[in-house]
Amino acid sequence: ALCVLHLFLLPGPCEGLTIQRGPHSGSTATSTVGPLGQHNHLGDVYRPLSIGEVAFGVLTCSKFHSTRLVALKETWLQNAKHIVAFTDQDPTAAERQRLRGIDFFVEPRKPDAQEMLASSSGAWRAVSMVQVLHDRFPGARWYFFVDDDTYIYTHTLLTHVLGTRDAASAHYVGWAYNVGPTLHGLLPGEWRPRVAIGGAGFGISAGLMASLAPQVPRCRTSYSWDWPGDFRIAQCIADLGYEVEDDPHMNAEDPDLALPPKMLVDGAFPPVSFHHLNQRQVYRLFKAEVVHSDDGRRIADFSRFALAEVSWHEPGLGLDFKVRFGFDVTVSTANSLGAPNSNKTTSNASSVVAATVHVDELQSFRASPGGHKFQQEFHGGSCHADHSQPLSVRIDLRCNNPFSGPHRLLSACGVQATGKCGYSLVLSTEFCPSFEPVAHDASTAF
């Protein structure tokens, strides 16, 4: 039989709790949304934000209409109400059918003669994105810009990043980085703004956009050197007296490169974005985020748990387990990490695990009747006892289990073997997401 990884969410206590902690714990003002009328760390008043109040701009090209762009529309963009794809050619009729709900802005021209921008990079279209998105959706509270190989956890974006800031004030939010020293048009040592990198996604509030959009013609003329598109936008915003607000929820790389331990272990900064993803990775992240009820009318959003990390050492088996929620489970023989164990337990573990095995194929994520249990199934690696079978791990996540100590998102409780190629691991959490109605056509008219 196939070896599978099951993840159950069950009510009940967690006995024998053990967890590896990161250097930080708890939430900060940027990672929690306060009640209406309270202020966040920037002094802005909290106000609930819906996805219908955000206009999304996606930088793409005709080469990726039927691949990358379709993957976004079928995953995290499926409930967005206002989307413009900025591209170089009109989509085909078949592509438009698959991409219903997305408007297109086609800018096939080469850069102006005085510009040094490379036409193949798409950088010359970045400034157009600002003006077009504002012109099409002048009533949006936020404008969010992203590449076509980026995954966005929209629930976390709304509640932990955009929703914690007043859209009527001027905000430019993203993953900030310092540009290199050798850009055209700038002297060595000349000041240059930090940039919200487009791959991680960045947001511009309505308050800032009202001042920025009229400046686009001037910026296009003034900054015509071969700059990255996101740097042209950053410079244009800097001319208005604003810099990027670096937000720790944003990530400019894929999950294996992007996340520091403080995000993975205690859930203080659940991720909003990952970049440089192929289509398989996009669908993989979405599969681990959204669970549909049996009737398909409600969803439970697990974005708060995305890649949350928890570890467990099981001395009886001589094994160490590291879980990145919804993403993978790493099973290692304890002595491979320097943990003590006896010859007997090491021998037992070696019959199943050869040093380290990554169980990373999420087969399904589904709810039980009533929505009180959730089941994840993973396959991955090779069972040392039977090379024809993948390794399996079954995880029971117990919900509604208050923590008496410092805040933590997940805790590990114990593990046992389930056959020659499988394990059952128990996790615990204080709250599991509730099922909410699926949003259909409740769009916001701008």
Side-chain angles (χ1 to χ4, degrees):
L2 276 177
C3 300
V4 296
L5 169 63
H6 301 275
L7 176 55
F8 296 97
L9 287 94
L10 305 169
C14 177
E15 300 293 335
L17 186 66
T18 299
I19 184 171
Q20 292 184 357
R21 300 299 312 280
H24 303 280
S25 64
S27 300
T28 67
T30 57
S31 63
T32 54
V33 179
L36 186 62
Q38 290 191 3
H39 292 71
N40 71 353
H41 68 297
L42 298 171
D44 292 334
V45 178
Y46 290 111
R47 177 186 162 191
L49 181 67
S50 72
I51 197 166
E53 297 175 296
V54 181
F56 291 90
V58 182
L59 183 63
T60 187
C61 65
S62 56
K63 177 181 178 180
F64 298 120
H65 287 173
S66 62
T67 53
R68 292 181 180 181
L69 197 56
V70 167
L72 301 195
K73 186 63 176 72
E74 292 180 345
T75 58
W76 67 266
L77 271 179
Q78 65 180 227
N79 291 320
K81 312 303 179 185
H82 312 291
I83 313 165
V84 179
F86 294 83
T87 186
D88 55 347
Q89 292 182 27
D90 281 310
T92 65
E95 288 169 345
R96 283 192 180 275
Q97 179 68 17
R98 297 189 69 185
L99 295 168
R100 285 180 299 176
I102 295 182
D103 292 333
F104 285 85
F105 181 79
V106 179
E107 193 170 14
R109 69 170 183 84
K110 300 293 184 181
D112 292 337
Q114 77 275 11
E115 293 184 349
M116 299 173 61
L117 291 162
S119 62
S120 61
S121 70
W124 50 278
R125 283 187 273 126
V127 176
S128 298
M129 293 175 68
V130 172
Q131 186 169 25
V132 170
L133 211 59
H134 176 262
D135 290 348
R136 292 201 181 184
F137 308 113
R141 289 178 63 193
W142 280 92
Y143 301 86
F144 195 77
F145 302 83
V146 69
D147 287 353
D148 62 5
D149 61 345
T150 301
Y151 188 86
I152 301 295
Y153 294 93
T154 55
H155 179 76
T156 309
L157 174 69
L158 298 176
T159 58
H160 287 64
V161 179
L162 305 184
T164 62
R165 296 168 166 90
D166 179 15
S169 301
H171 294 292
Y172 167 43
V173 187
W175 189 90
Y177 78 105
N178 296 309
V179 297
T182 57
L183 287 175
H184 289 108
L186 295 175
L187 298 174
E190 184 177 353
W191 178 87
R192 61 205 68 194
R194 290 197 304 167
V195 178
I197 189 169
F202 62 88
I204 297 176
S205 65
L208 177 56
M209 185 63 89
S211 300
L212 178 63
Q215 296 298 315
V216 166
R218 179 192 63 80
C219 292
R220 188 189 296 279
T221 301
S222 299
Y223 307 123
S224 60
W225 299 287
D226 191 14
W227 289 356
D230 43 18
F231 182 68
R232 297 181 90 190
I233 294 174
Q235 183 63 62
C236 197
I237 291 173
D239 291 346
L240 298 173
Y242 301 100
E243 285 194 270
V244 61
E245 300 165 21
D246 190 19
D247 194 288
H249 300 85
M250 319 295 281
N251 296 285
E253 298 293 344
D254 66 49
D256 287 317
L257 296 176
L259 293 176
K262 68 177 182 179
M263 295 178 65
L264 291 170
V265 177
D266 56 32
F269 298 103
V272 161
S273 59
F274 292 115
H275 185 215
H276 294 140
L277 305 176
N278 58 38
Q279 295 130 263
R280 177 183 174 275
Q281 291 172 307
V282 169
Y283 288 110
R284 178 184 180 188
L285 292 176
F286 185 72
K287 195 172 188 177
E289 178 190 358
V290 176
V291 180
H292 287 82
S293 60
D294 289 341
D295 61 10
R297 298 169 61 183
R298 296 176 300 147
I299 60 171
D301 190 299
F302 280 80
S303 55
R304 184 171 67 99
F305 291 79
L307 281 85
E309 186 175 296
V310 62
S311 299
W312 177 264
H313 169 64
E314 182 53 52
L317 296 170
L319 294 173
D320 290 314
F321 296 79
K322 184 174 77 172
V323 178
R324 291 191 294 175
F325 187 85
F327 195 73
D328 61 17
V329 180
T330 302
V331 186
S332 306
T333 53
N335 60 342
S336 71
L337 301 179
N341 58 63
S342 68
N343 291 333
K344 180 178 180 181
T345 57
T346 301
S347 177
N348 290 340
S350 298
S351 68
V352 181
V353 177
T356 299
V357 176
H358 297 285
V359 185
D360 59 1
E361 290 293 334
L362 179 60
Q363 301 297 305
S364 64
F365 193 0
R366 55 186 181 269
S368 68
H372 300 298
K373 300 177 185 177
F374 298 83
Q375 184 182 76
Q376 283 187 342
E377 295 185 2
F378 283 82
H379 302 165
S382 176
C383 174
H384 193 54
D386 183 352
H387 292 294
S388 67
Q389 301 293 334
L391 193 64
S392 70
V393 181
R394 184 178 70 198
I395 302 177
D396 295 330
L397 178 59
R398 303 173 186 253
C399 301
N400 307 319
N401 182 46
F403 297 123
S404 58
H407 167 80
R408 49 184 172 251
L409 187 59
L410 291 171
S411 293
C413 307
V415 66
Q416 63 180 6
T418 56
K420 65 179 182 180
C421 291
Y423 302 98
S424 174
L425 177 63
V426 177
L427 302 182
S428 178
T429 188
E430 187 170 6
F431 299 108
C432 292
S434 59
F435 277 93
E436 304 292 341
V438 176
H440 289 294
D441 295 322
S443 60
T444 300
F446 295 148

